[in-house]
Amino acid sequence: MGKIMSFLGVAALCGLLGAGLVFPLAATGGAAASAGSDILEEIPAELSEEPMSTPSRIYANDGETVIATFFAENREPVSYDEISQDMKDAIIAIEDERFYDHGGVDAQGVARAAVITLTSSRQQGASTLTMQYVNNVLNNASVVRGDGPILGAFAQEKTYADKLREMKLAVAIEQEMTKEEIIEGYLNIIQLGGRNYGVEAAAQYYWGVPASELDIQQSAVLAGMVQAPNTYHPIENPDLAMERRNVVLGTMLRQGFITEEEYEEAVNSDLGVIPAEERPSLDSGCMSTSWANYFCDYVEQEILTDETFGETREDRERLLHRGGLNIVTTLDAELQEQAEATAMEHRPDGTGAVAVINSQEPGTGNVLAMAQSTRYDPSEEAEDGGATSMNFNAGQSHSGGIGFPGGSVIKPFVAAAWIEEGGDMDDRVEAWRDEYEYYEEWDASCMDGGSVTLLPEDDQEHWEINNVIDDTEREMSIDFGLYYSINTATVATAYDMDLCAITDVTNRLGIEGFNALDDYGGLRPDTPSFIMGTATVTPMVMNRAYAAFANDGEVCEERVLESVTDAQGTEYEVPGINCEQAIDPDIVAQVNDTMINIAETNAYVEQLDDDPPFPMAGKTGTHESVSAMSFQGFTEGISTGAYIARPGDDTSLWANGNVPTDQYASSVAFPFWYDYMREVAGNYDTGDFPEADDSPFDNRRDTSRYAFSNMGGTGGGSSDSDDNGDDDDDD
């Protein structure tokens, strides 16, 4: 396109044409001729160079698998040699039979048009292919810049000023380009019905063939469409299209481009367009793809909100739809396909809930997969019936929502803060305490006065803490309490320490959400119930934090863009890998001692595989009303968050809140997570997690320490029990 545009600055050549070009118009009077001369002088000596409007494509991380295509004009530029000779002959025959004899302006044609226009009620055009090409190129450049068409391309009648501009620049083109280059450019830029531009896109759309294979009758159809692309549309107006095609065929016969036999065969053939189900989609953007729609939408928002791609959102939209961007993302196509299939398999029918899952790569923050069990549809009518454009993995800045209550997935961060403050996982806490007085002071060094007051959030006299597992209000180790997700153990741990030490950990890991007071930001120490997961946090934010447990405490900003280049090869700067050490590796290893056992001893693993097929770790979470359940887990190479949740509704997934005993996160969300991870984990590293130098446990996988006798008394329940049951939005 750079070579194509270079002729536009050749003002010296064009200036010499002034008198000659005005001559055919002189018969209209001196005023018109004078106006023509003025117009020629006012035409810019140089016009800014703009690329041909071409589609942008989003690719998976292999740089080859297409996720979606964005375009205002469906176009696939091809070279002169990639266009059939029949197509070249057809366009010359019907649009410019003297193409190879003139230098950009056909003097005979201009004179003939002038005479006809001046001596009859008819108007006769005299545009050569080169002049039409000028018109298309300049209009494309103007549209790409956002200025709108400048040569009256969308008007039925052009002004003398339009014609003079075309003539002046057409001659310049002929001095800079070969005839073959002009034909190539012309056949790549013209509109050929609807959103199809250029012969390659049109050939694929109407007949499912490349432009190199267009036959005589197909070429005649396309050549005939140039005059009125939508009027002679072979699908929308087949009768008019066939009539116009036959006119082109007759012209080709008279000019010797085809034989009588070829003419008869072509004129007696039908249009032969392929069935609708075989045509390429003319949908643009994330609606144009059958997979990874929500990830596509996330990437689109990244482009549209980043000033790297334009000063205004309008500029960025124009670049995305016209700039021919090649956008290579972090998405792993195999993981994405598995995530989508698993989400649909675990969709809880009849509950109003959705299955939501995303994977990130520890150490890079690369988003590997993003799926949910809904059909992507941005239309307003699609809010019901399992269709939505809301990305439940993401936040509001990326077409998402407010997230889901974290519940017990917050508990490992409480344990990490305990160790960071000098404790150990085998330290014992008073988990027998199940109520705390309102207006009691809790240590919080980052708050005014060094403490916060426990304020009532309900009509009860105390903050009551309940456990799902019966008879677990006992003294126990922090390790034991985390393994069984004992609510009273978590609250006792937080009560015995500085609440700000906990929020310091969560802040370093980037955990933000909507808190109890409906403000967005980091978790708030002035509402102690945050330790029970009362804040709503998006799955991607929580998964980013858990990826740090798989990466020795190093947290990485999530990223979806690997590279972005435009049609001219210009590279745009995209966010690089951005990681920082948030927690000491030894502390991470100690918390992992517990989370390894939570994942690897889950009954579902034994049911499917007897023994864990690879090292894994994680934590369950269940909202207090059981409207949301999650498992945040990881291997060495993949961190994945899996949610079964009812968006925007805190009522139970089960009628009357009667939750079946086997329907908590360990038996609902964990199987969702595991069915996916057992298929994809092997694609990335699955080594064991580093052990702590000063772990209190000789064997991190020795589950004998979880015997109920270690609570300081006997208790009920089993390792398959899950968390839930207090009076807060929690566990």
Side-chain angles (χ1 to χ4, degrees):
M1 195 63 186
K3 183 176 180 182
I4 291 171
M5 297 298 296
S6 65
F7 60 82
L8 295 176
V10 189
L13 270 174
C14 298
L16 298 175
L17 303 172
L21 293 181
V22 172
F23 175 77
L25 305 176
T28 65
S34 176
S37 297
D38 292 342
I39 290 168
L40 286 171
E41 291 300 323
E42 292 174 3
I43 294 176
E46 294 185 5
L47 296 178
S48 60
E49 186 173 330
E50 296 292 347
M52 186 185 299
S53 181
T54 53
S56 295
R57 288 185 174 82
I58 298 177
Y59 296 91
N61 60 8
D62 59 8
E64 297 179 356
T65 305
V66 177
I67 295 173
T69 303
F70 290 76
F71 57 84
E73 300 174 358
N74 182 35
R75 174 184 285 112
E76 292 295 332
V78 289
S79 68
Y80 181 84
D81 292 336
E82 294 175 304
I83 303 171
S84 75
Q85 188 60 48
D86 288 329
M87 185 68 242
K88 301 166 192 172
D89 293 342
I91 201 68
I92 290 172
I94 196 64
E95 291 295 323
D96 190 357
E97 63 181 290
R98 288 172 43 78
F99 176 70
Y100 288 104
D101 299 323
H102 62 67
V105 177
D106 185 357
Q108 292 183 23
V110 171
R112 181 179 63 251
V115 170
I116 293 175
T117 300
L118 294 171
T119 60
S120 71
S121 60
R122 292 188 299 118
Q123 288 191 337
Q124 174 71 43
S127 290
T128 64
L129 276 179
T130 313
M131 291 167 62
Q132 292 180 44
Y133 181 50
V134 166
N135 183 66
N136 279 282
V137 167
L138 293 181
N139 272 315
N140 173 77
S142 184
V143 170
V144 169
R145 290 194 303 268
D147 301 331
I150 62 173
L151 291 183
F154 305 121
Q156 292 184 349
E157 298 181 12
K158 294 180 182 177
T159 66
Y160 285 133
D162 291 339
K163 285 294 185 183
L164 288 171
R165 290 187 183 98
E166 288 180 7
M167 290 176 181
K168 180 176 179 179
L169 293 173
V171 174
I173 289 177
E174 296 273 356
Q175 300 296 318
E176 294 294 322
M177 298 173 64
T178 67
K179 292 289 187 178
E180 289 74 18
E181 288 172 333
I182 294 170
I183 286 289
E184 174 187 314
Y186 180 85
L187 290 176
N188 275 309
I189 204 169
I190 53 174
Q191 183 189 12
L192 290 170
R195 302 176 76 176
N196 291 310
Y197 287 75
V199 292
E200 178 68 19
Q204 296 285 0
Y205 184 75
Y206 297 122
W207 298 287
V209 300
S212 61
E213 297 180 11
L214 286 168
D215 61 23
I216 293 172
Q217 80 89 7
Q218 293 165 345
S219 298
V221 171
L222 296 184
M225 293 176 71
V226 171
Q227 187 181 85
N230 293 319
T231 298
Y232 299 123
H233 196 292
I235 296 173
E236 302 298 330
N237 299 303
D239 292 340
L240 289 177
M242 183 172 289
E243 181 180 331
R244 177 64 176 167
R245 178 202 69 177
N246 293 344
V247 170
V248 176
L249 291 171
T251 304
M252 293 178 72
L253 175 63
R254 287 193 300 275
Q255 295 179 16
F257 285 110
I258 57 176
T259 65
E260 184 72 36
E261 182 180 354
E262 289 172 327
Y263 168 79
E264 290 296 334
E265 180 179 355
V267 81
N268 289 310
S269 66
D270 57 28
L271 294 176
V273 295
I274 58 177
E277 61 271 16
E278 297 179 20
R279 293 177 209 138
S281 173
L282 289 183
D283 288 332
S284 173
C286 299
M287 278 294 293
S288 69
T289 183
S290 60
W291 73 301
N293 305 86
Y294 296 97
F295 178 82
C296 170
D297 192 288
Y298 191 98
V299 171
E300 181 181 8
Q301 298 309 313
E302 285 282 291
I303 299 292
L304 297 181
T305 56
D306 189 342
E307 292 185 2
T308 300
F309 304 101
E311 292 184 3
T312 67
R313 188 179 180 91
E314 183 181 24
D315 291 337
R316 297 164 210 149
E317 288 178 341
R318 190 178 302 116
L319 176 65
L320 181 60
H321 289 86
R322 294 184 176 274
L325 298 180
N326 289 313
I327 304 168
V328 180
T329 70
T330 61
L331 191 79
D332 184 312
E334 184 176 343
L335 267 64
Q336 178 66 27
E337 291 176 358
Q338 187 62 47
E340 292 185 0
T342 310
M344 296 306 294
E345 291 170 3
H346 284 265
R347 176 179 54 187
D349 293 333
T351 66
V354 296
V356 179
I357 191 168
N358 79 92
S359 289
Q360 298 177 31
E361 183 179 35
T364 66
N366 290 346
V367 177
L368 303 175
M370 182 187 296
Q372 61 192 52
S373 61
T374 57
R375 177 172 54 84
Y376 180 81
D377 192 337
S379 67
E380 294 182 2
E381 308 83 57
E383 294 302 322
D384 298 324
T388 181
S389 62
M390 180 172 287
N391 185 347
F392 295 121
N393 275 296
Q396 293 175 325
S397 64
H398 288 79
S399 303
I402 64 173
F404 306 103
S408 291
V409 294
I410 293 295
K411 293 178 179 178
F413 309 118
V414 177
W418 177 269
I419 301 171
E420 194 168 73
E421 290 292 285
D424 289 307
M425 289 298 289
D426 66 346
D427 289 340
R428 302 182 75 80
V429 293
E430 298 174 346
W432 51 264
R433 185 174 180 181
D434 59 3
E435 61 182 38
Y436 291 80
E437 297 291 335
Y438 287 133
Y439 303 106
E440 189 174 358
E441 296 296 311
W442 292 52
D443 290 339
S445 61
C446 60
M447 303 298 292
D448 292 341
S451 65
V452 296
T453 302
L454 180 64
L455 298 175
E457 298 178 5
D458 49 42
D459 296 331
Q460 297 177 338
E461 296 180 0
H462 314 281
W463 183 25
E464 296 184 359
I465 313 299
N466 299 313
N467 297 324
V468 166
I469 304 175
D470 294 336
D471 199 25
T472 49
E473 291 76 22
R474 311 285 188 90
E475 181 186 278
M476 65 185 65
S477 70
I478 291 174
D479 167 59
F480 189 98
L482 181 59
Y483 178 81
Y484 286 109
S485 201
I486 305 298
N487 294 326
T488 55
T490 300
V491 177
T493 304
Y495 183 74
D496 286 348
M497 63 184 298
D498 187 337
L499 291 176
C500 293
I502 303 172
T503 56
D504 186 36
V505 169
T506 57
N507 287 340
R508 278 182 268 136
L509 291 170
I511 299 177
E512 294 183 332
F514 284 91
N515 292 280
L517 300 180
D518 291 331
D519 63 319
Y520 186 85
L523 303 187
R524 295 177 51 138
D526 59 345
T527 53
S529 60
F530 81 86
I531 59 175
M532 305 301 289
T534 54
T536 58
V537 181
T538 65
M540 287 190 68
V541 167
M542 191 60 70
N543 197 20
R544 177 182 63 199
Y546 266 78
F549 283 108
N551 190 40
D552 292 335
E554 188 179 56
V555 64
C556 303
E557 285 292 327
E558 59 269 276
R559 60 191 297 266
V560 295
L561 299 177
E562 287 282 10
S563 66
V564 179
T565 58
D566 65 19
Q568 286 66 52
T570 302
E571 293 188 16
Y572 293 80
E573 185 177 355
V574 300
I577 296 172
N578 182 18
C579 304
E580 61 181 25
Q581 197 69 38
I583 310 177
D584 184 89
D586 199 74
I587 294 174
V588 167
Q590 290 192 56
V591 178
N592 282 350
D593 284 346
T594 308
M595 290 202 290
I596 288 169
N597 291 311
I598 291 173
E600 294 183 359
T601 64
N602 186 281
Y604 193 69
V605 175
E606 182 178 359
Q607 176 184 332
L608 266 62
D609 298 304
D610 292 329
D611 297 316
F614 43 78
M616 65 184 81
K619 181 69 185 76
T620 53
T622 305
H623 181 262
E624 173 252 341
S625 66
V626 198
S627 63
M629 294 173 284
S630 64
F631 187 81
Q632 286 286 167
F634 50 91
T635 59
E636 184 183 20
I638 304 175
S639 182
T640 296
Y643 288 68
I644 303 291
R646 188 198 299 270
D649 188 346
D650 287 344
T651 58
S652 173
L653 272 65
W654 287 271
N656 303 317
N658 296 320
V659 184
T661 57
D662 63 343
Q663 295 298 299
Y664 289 104
S666 65
S667 55
V668 175
F670 179 85
F672 176 23
W673 180 90
Y674 188 66
D675 283 351
Y676 164 75
M677 287 293 287
R678 71 196 295 262
E679 297 297 328
V680 303
N683 293 13
Y684 291 78
D685 293 336
T686 55
D688 205 357
F689 308 103
E691 296 192 36
D693 294 334
D694 55 356
S695 172
F697 311 115
D698 293 332
N699 180 0
R700 68 188 337 182
R701 288 183 169 84
D702 180 6
T703 58
S704 64
R705 66 180 187 268
Y706 300 122
F708 273 78
S709 59
N710 289 326
M711 282 196 299
T714 58
S718 71
S719 64
D720 295 332
S721 298
D722 198 295
D723 46 20
N724 196 42
D726 64 359
D727 293 326
D728 299 294
D729 293 335
D730 80 306
D731 22 333

